[in-house]
Amino acid sequence: AQSVSQHNHHVILSEAASLELGCNYSYGGTVNLFWYVQYPGQHLQLLLKYFSGDPLVKGIKGFEAEFIKSKFSFNLRKPSVQWSDTAEYFCAVNAGNNRKLIWGLGTSLAVNP
Amino acid sequence: NAGVTQTPKFRILKIGQSMTLQCAQDMNHNYMYWYRQDPGMGLKLIYYSVGAGITDKGEVPNGYNVSRSTTEDFPLRLELAAPSQTSVYFCASTTAQGATGELFFGEGSRLTVL
């Protein structure tokens, strides 16, 4: 069965630290990849997405993610986090142009000022 | 544009009561989804719809029903509420490209069943 794994469930960083959140999926065919963010008390919103082309994609607020097909990974990165990045981050995959997204369980990020 | 609007934002139900969570979108999206979100469990798909008159079950449909009589509205009905249905419910929509497109989420409805 198709699945998405987010390796870090809880991450605590200090401001200005670098961030990398892991996301791996299990599907051998064509995928569309997404990272969504949920700020405290808010709804989910799209951070960035990959459909095709350059495997390094840039999103909002200085986030980027790299698609590595050979590793079935789509890790999220940010060089220097801010307190306002405190949120829950979800990786999601659309496998084989399905009608539904497959979601990871999420990673809770807390950034200390 | 309002985007995706959910009502109510908060509700407390007694065991056995029924209620409907409303969801409306004004973006003319064909695809609509209902998710529930529980702490540490991510998002679980309850039901989804690919267009008016068409609905299908997701991962956790038991205890819920949906209808899609118009493109805009996708209400979620809870029959005989149980404590296990205490959760935050999110409605989402996307374009006719389906799950290849960006999902737009509502603000959520926090339901407590006592």
mmCIF file of all heavy atoms in Angstrom, chain A residues 38-66:
data_model
loop_
_atom_site.group_PDB
_atom_site.id
_atom_site.type_symbol
_atom_site.label_atom_id
_atom_site.label_comp_id
_atom_site.label_asym_id
_atom_site.label_seq_id
_atom_site.Cartn_x
_atom_site.Cartn_y
_atom_site.Cartn_z
ATOM 1 N N GLN A 38 0.579 24.057 8.938
ATOM 2 C CA GLN A 38 -0.569 24.441 9.763
ATOM 3 C C GLN A 38 -0.057 25.231 10.957
ATOM 4 O O GLN A 38 0.530 24.659 11.885
ATOM 5 C CB GLN A 38 -1.344 23.209 10.220
ATOM 6 C CG GLN A 38 -2.611 23.537 10.973
ATOM 7 C CD GLN A 38 -3.379 22.292 11.371
ATOM 8 O OE1 GLN A 38 -2.809 21.236 11.582
ATOM 9 N NE2 GLN A 38 -4.693 22.408 11.489
ATOM 10 N N TYR A 39 -0.246 26.537 10.935
ATOM 11 C CA TYR A 39 0.144 27.374 12.070
ATOM 12 C C TYR A 39 -0.852 27.175 13.205
ATOM 13 O O TYR A 39 -1.998 26.793 12.964
ATOM 14 C CB TYR A 39 0.230 28.834 11.649
ATOM 15 C CG TYR A 39 1.301 29.059 10.611
ATOM 16 C CD1 TYR A 39 0.976 29.255 9.275
ATOM 17 C CD2 TYR A 39 2.646 29.034 10.967
ATOM 18 C CE1 TYR A 39 1.955 29.428 8.312
ATOM 19 C CE2 TYR A 39 3.639 29.200 10.013
ATOM 20 C CZ TYR A 39 3.285 29.387 8.690
ATOM 21 O OH TYR A 39 4.269 29.546 7.746
ATOM 22 N N PRO A 40 -0.442 27.411 14.436
ATOM 23 C CA PRO A 40 -1.312 27.138 15.582
ATOM 24 C C PRO A 40 -2.691 27.755 15.435
ATOM 25 O O PRO A 40 -2.831 28.953 15.181
ATOM 26 C CB PRO A 40 -0.541 27.758 16.750
ATOM 27 C CG PRO A 40 0.892 27.688 16.336
ATOM 28 C CD PRO A 40 0.889 27.910 14.855
ATOM 29 N N GLY A 41 -3.704 26.912 15.554
ATOM 30 C CA GLY A 41 -5.078 27.372 15.498
ATOM 31 C C GLY A 41 -5.593 27.703 14.115
ATOM 32 O O GLY A 41 -6.695 28.244 13.980
ATOM 33 N N GLN A 42 -4.815 27.397 13.100
ATOM 34 C CA GLN A 42 -5.222 27.743 11.736
ATOM 35 C C GLN A 42 -5.413 26.502 10.877
ATOM 36 O O GLN A 42 -5.138 25.390 11.287
ATOM 37 C CB GLN A 42 -4.186 28.672 11.106
ATOM 38 C CG GLN A 42 -4.034 30.012 11.808
ATOM 39 C CD GLN A 42 -3.145 30.956 11.031
ATOM 40 O OE1 GLN A 42 -2.984 30.825 9.811
ATOM 41 N NE2 GLN A 42 -2.563 31.903 11.727
ATOM 42 N N HIS A 43 -5.903 26.729 9.663
ATOM 43 C CA HIS A 43 -6.084 25.632 8.740
ATOM 44 C C HIS A 43 -4.797 25.369 7.963
ATOM 45 O O HIS A 43 -3.856 26.161 8.027
ATOM 46 C CB HIS A 43 -7.220 25.953 7.775
ATOM 47 C CG HIS A 43 -6.959 27.154 6.918
ATOM 48 N ND1 HIS A 43 -7.013 28.432 7.406
ATOM 49 C CD2 HIS A 43 -6.626 27.269 5.609
ATOM 50 C CE1 HIS A 43 -6.743 29.284 6.437
ATOM 51 N NE2 HIS A 43 -6.490 28.607 5.338
ATOM 52 N N LEU A 44 -4.751 24.262 7.282
ATOM 53 C CA LEU A 44 -3.577 23.927 6.486
ATOM 54 C C LEU A 44 -3.502 24.813 5.242
ATOM 55 O O LEU A 44 -4.520 25.168 4.647
ATOM 56 C CB LEU A 44 -3.628 22.471 6.025
ATOM 57 C CG LEU A 44 -3.291 21.414 7.054
ATOM 58 C CD1 LEU A 44 -4.514 21.048 7.866
ATOM 59 C CD2 LEU A 44 -2.728 20.187 6.365
ATOM 60 N N GLN A 45 -2.279 25.134 4.886
ATOM 61 C CA GLN A 45 -2.059 25.887 3.652
ATOM 62 C C GLN A 45 -0.822 25.348 2.951
ATOM 63 O O GLN A 45 0.088 24.819 3.589
ATOM 64 C CB GLN A 45 -1.921 27.387 3.934
ATOM 65 C CG GLN A 45 -0.851 27.750 4.937
ATOM 66 C CD GLN A 45 -0.915 29.221 5.291
ATOM 67 O OE1 GLN A 45 -0.578 30.073 4.487
ATOM 68 N NE2 GLN A 45 -1.350 29.508 6.494
ATOM 69 N N LEU A 46 -0.805 25.500 1.637
ATOM 70 C CA LEU A 46 0.272 24.946 0.832
ATOM 71 C C LEU A 46 1.559 25.731 1.061
ATOM 72 O O LEU A 46 1.587 26.957 1.004
ATOM 73 C CB LEU A 46 -0.115 24.992 -0.641
ATOM 74 C CG LEU A 46 0.890 24.377 -1.603
ATOM 75 C CD1 LEU A 46 0.963 22.871 -1.394
ATOM 76 C CD2 LEU A 46 0.496 24.687 -3.047
ATOM 77 N N LEU A 47 2.637 24.987 1.302
ATOM 78 C CA LEU A 47 3.960 25.586 1.477
ATOM 79 C C LEU A 47 4.722 25.533 0.155
ATOM 80 O O LEU A 47 5.306 26.521 -0.288
ATOM 81 C CB LEU A 47 4.706 24.811 2.555
ATOM 82 C CG LEU A 47 5.895 25.426 3.256
ATOM 83 C CD1 LEU A 47 5.554 26.764 3.859
ATOM 84 C CD2 LEU A 47 6.414 24.480 4.339
ATOM 85 N N LEU A 48 4.724 24.377 -0.472
ATOM 86 C CA LEU A 48 5.351 24.212 -1.774
ATOM 87 C C LEU A 48 4.907 22.891 -2.390
ATOM 88 O O LEU A 48 4.336 22.039 -1.705
ATOM 89 C CB LEU A 48 6.883 24.281 -1.690
ATOM 90 C CG LEU A 48 7.593 23.454 -0.638
ATOM 91 C CD1 LEU A 48 7.708 21.997 -1.022
ATOM 92 C CD2 LEU A 48 8.999 24.016 -0.369
ATOM 93 N N LYS A 49 5.192 22.743 -3.700
ATOM 94 C CA LYS A 49 4.782 21.530 -4.392
ATOM 95 C C LYS A 49 5.768 21.211 -5.506
ATOM 96 O O LYS A 49 6.451 22.095 -6.031
ATOM 97 C CB LYS A 49 3.380 21.689 -4.975
ATOM 98 C CG LYS A 49 3.273 22.813 -5.987
ATOM 99 C CD LYS A 49 1.836 23.017 -6.429
ATOM 100 C CE LYS A 49 1.735 24.189 -7.409
ATOM 101 N NZ LYS A 49 0.320 24.470 -7.791
ATOM 102 N N TYR A 50 5.834 19.930 -5.832
ATOM 103 C CA TYR A 50 6.645 19.472 -6.952
ATOM 104 C C TYR A 50 5.782 18.633 -7.874
ATOM 105 O O TYR A 50 5.147 17.666 -7.442
ATOM 106 C CB TYR A 50 7.839 18.639 -6.472
ATOM 107 C CG TYR A 50 8.569 17.993 -7.614
ATOM 108 C CD1 TYR A 50 9.484 18.724 -8.375
ATOM 109 C CD2 TYR A 50 8.322 16.673 -7.973
ATOM 110 C CE1 TYR A 50 10.129 18.145 -9.448
ATOM 111 C CE2 TYR A 50 8.963 16.083 -9.043
ATOM 112 C CZ TYR A 50 9.861 16.831 -9.772
ATOM 113 O OH TYR A 50 10.499 16.258 -10.843
ATOM 114 N N PHE A 51 5.794 18.999 -9.167
ATOM 115 C CA PHE A 51 5.096 18.195 -10.156
ATOM 116 C C PHE A 51 6.099 17.577 -11.136
ATOM 117 O O PHE A 51 6.029 16.406 -11.454
ATOM 118 C CB PHE A 51 4.080 19.038 -10.936
ATOM 119 C CG PHE A 51 2.837 19.352 -10.164
ATOM 120 C CD1 PHE A 51 1.838 20.129 -10.719
ATOM 121 C CD2 PHE A 51 2.646 18.891 -8.871
ATOM 122 C CE1 PHE A 51 0.686 20.427 -10.010
ATOM 123 C CE2 PHE A 51 1.503 19.176 -8.149
ATOM 124 C CZ PHE A 51 0.512 19.953 -8.733
ATOM 125 N N SER A 52 7.020 18.395 -11.635
ATOM 126 C CA SER A 52 8.018 17.917 -12.592
ATOM 127 C C SER A 52 9.087 18.998 -12.728
ATOM 128 O O SER A 52 8.961 20.092 -12.180
ATOM 129 C CB SER A 52 7.376 17.623 -13.953
ATOM 130 O OG SER A 52 6.848 18.808 -14.512
ATOM 131 N N GLY A 53 10.140 18.677 -13.469
ATOM 132 C CA GLY A 53 11.184 19.662 -13.730
ATOM 133 C C GLY A 53 12.233 19.692 -12.644
ATOM 134 O O GLY A 53 12.604 18.656 -12.084
ATOM 135 N N ASP A 54 12.726 20.885 -12.324
ATOM 136 C CA ASP A 54 13.799 21.060 -11.352
ATOM 137 C C ASP A 54 13.397 20.410 -10.025
ATOM 138 O O ASP A 54 12.381 20.768 -9.436
ATOM 139 C CB ASP A 54 14.054 22.555 -11.144
ATOM 140 C CG ASP A 54 15.294 22.821 -10.307
ATOM 141 O OD1 ASP A 54 15.798 21.895 -9.618
ATOM 142 O OD2 ASP A 54 15.773 23.976 -10.324
ATOM 143 N N PRO A 55 14.188 19.451 -9.556
ATOM 144 C CA PRO A 55 13.807 18.748 -8.329
ATOM 145 C C PRO A 55 13.946 19.608 -7.070
ATOM 146 O O PRO A 55 13.484 19.201 -6.011
ATOM 147 C CB PRO A 55 14.788 17.571 -8.281
ATOM 148 C CG PRO A 55 15.948 18.005 -9.085
ATOM 149 C CD PRO A 55 15.397 18.892 -10.163
ATOM 150 N N LEU A 56 14.591 20.755 -7.175
ATOM 151 C CA LEU A 56 14.685 21.667 -6.041
ATOM 152 C C LEU A 56 13.610 22.733 -6.207
ATOM 153 O O LEU A 56 13.661 23.530 -7.144
ATOM 154 C CB LEU A 56 16.077 22.294 -5.980
ATOM 155 C CG LEU A 56 16.342 23.197 -4.773
ATOM 156 C CD1 LEU A 56 16.262 22.402 -3.471
ATOM 157 C CD2 LEU A 56 17.707 23.866 -4.900
ATOM 158 N N VAL A 57 12.637 22.711 -5.326
ATOM 159 C CA VAL A 57 11.533 23.660 -5.450
ATOM 160 C C VAL A 57 11.563 24.647 -4.294
ATOM 161 O O VAL A 57 11.900 24.302 -3.168
ATOM 162 C CB VAL A 57 10.170 22.938 -5.486
ATOM 163 C CG1 VAL A 57 10.039 22.138 -6.742
ATOM 164 C CG2 VAL A 57 9.975 22.056 -4.274
ATOM 165 N N LYS A 58 11.200 25.869 -4.633
ATOM 166 C CA LYS A 58 11.158 26.947 -3.637
ATOM 167 C C LYS A 58 9.704 27.200 -3.256
ATOM 168 O O LYS A 58 8.815 27.204 -4.114
ATOM 169 C CB LYS A 58 11.757 28.226 -4.215
ATOM 170 C CG LYS A 58 13.155 28.045 -4.784
ATOM 171 C CD LYS A 58 14.207 28.266 -3.755
ATOM 172 C CE LYS A 58 15.590 28.240 -4.403
ATOM 173 N NZ LYS A 58 16.647 27.996 -3.392
ATOM 174 N N GLY A 59 9.479 27.432 -1.977
ATOM 175 C CA GLY A 59 8.142 27.738 -1.522
ATOM 176 C C GLY A 59 8.084 29.101 -0.868
ATOM 177 O O GLY A 59 8.981 29.915 -1.011
ATOM 178 N N ILE A 60 7.007 29.286 -0.113
ATOM 179 C CA ILE A 60 6.843 30.558 0.573
ATOM 180 C C ILE A 60 7.728 30.610 1.813
ATOM 181 O O ILE A 60 8.160 29.570 2.323
ATOM 182 C CB ILE A 60 5.368 30.786 0.963
ATOM 183 C CG1 ILE A 60 4.868 29.657 1.886
ATOM 184 C CG2 ILE A 60 4.503 30.886 -0.283
ATOM 185 C CD1 ILE A 60 3.491 29.908 2.467
ATOM 186 N N LYS A 61 7.991 31.810 2.294
ATOM 187 C CA LYS A 61 8.676 32.056 3.559
ATOM 188 C C LYS A 61 10.063 31.423 3.630
ATOM 189 O O LYS A 61 10.504 31.045 4.721
ATOM 190 C CB LYS A 61 7.803 31.589 4.727
ATOM 191 C CG LYS A 61 6.433 32.246 4.727
ATOM 192 C CD LYS A 61 5.622 31.924 5.949
ATOM 193 C CE LYS A 61 4.272 32.622 5.870
ATOM 194 N NZ LYS A 61 3.457 32.452 7.060
ATOM 195 N N GLY A 62 10.735 31.315 2.501
ATOM 196 C CA GLY A 62 12.111 30.840 2.504
ATOM 197 C C GLY A 62 12.298 29.339 2.571
ATOM 198 O O GLY A 62 13.411 28.844 2.699
ATOM 199 N N PHE A 63 11.208 28.589 2.488
ATOM 200 C CA PHE A 63 11.298 27.133 2.509
ATOM 201 C C PHE A 63 11.632 26.588 1.124
ATOM 202 O O PHE A 63 11.287 27.178 0.112
ATOM 203 C CB PHE A 63 9.977 26.514 2.982
ATOM 204 C CG PHE A 63 9.745 26.636 4.452
ATOM 205 C CD1 PHE A 63 9.075 27.738 4.972
ATOM 206 C CD2 PHE A 63 10.192 25.659 5.322
ATOM 207 C CE1 PHE A 63 8.868 27.871 6.334
ATOM 208 C CE2 PHE A 63 9.985 25.767 6.691
ATOM 209 C CZ PHE A 63 9.324 26.879 7.193
ATOM 210 N N GLU A 64 12.297 25.459 1.105
ATOM 211 C CA GLU A 64 12.570 24.750 -0.129
ATOM 212 C C GLU A 64 12.529 23.260 0.149
ATOM 213 O O GLU A 64 12.601 22.821 1.300
ATOM 214 C CB GLU A 64 13.934 25.135 -0.709
ATOM 215 C CG GLU A 64 15.115 24.745 0.148
ATOM 216 C CD GLU A 64 16.436 25.137 -0.497
ATOM 217 O OE1 GLU A 64 16.487 26.148 -1.223
ATOM 218 O OE2 GLU A 64 17.414 24.415 -0.262
ATOM 219 N N ALA A 65 12.371 22.492 -0.916
ATOM 220 C CA ALA A 65 12.356 21.040 -0.769
ATOM 221 C C ALA A 65 13.035 20.431 -1.988
ATOM 222 O O ALA A 65 12.971 20.972 -3.091
ATOM 223 C CB ALA A 65 10.932 20.514 -0.626
ATOM 224 N N GLU A 66 13.667 19.294 -1.765
ATOM 225 C CA GLU A 66 14.358 18.610 -2.850
ATOM 226 C C GLU A 66 13.768 17.239 -3.075
ATOM 227 O O GLU A 66 13.679 16.429 -2.125
ATOM 228 C CB GLU A 66 15.844 18.484 -2.554
ATOM 229 C CG GLU A 66 16.636 17.880 -3.719
ATOM 230 C CD GLU A 66 18.121 17.858 -3.480
ATOM 231 O OE1 GLU A 66 18.554 18.098 -2.336
ATOM 232 O OE2 GLU A 66 18.858 17.583 -4.450
#
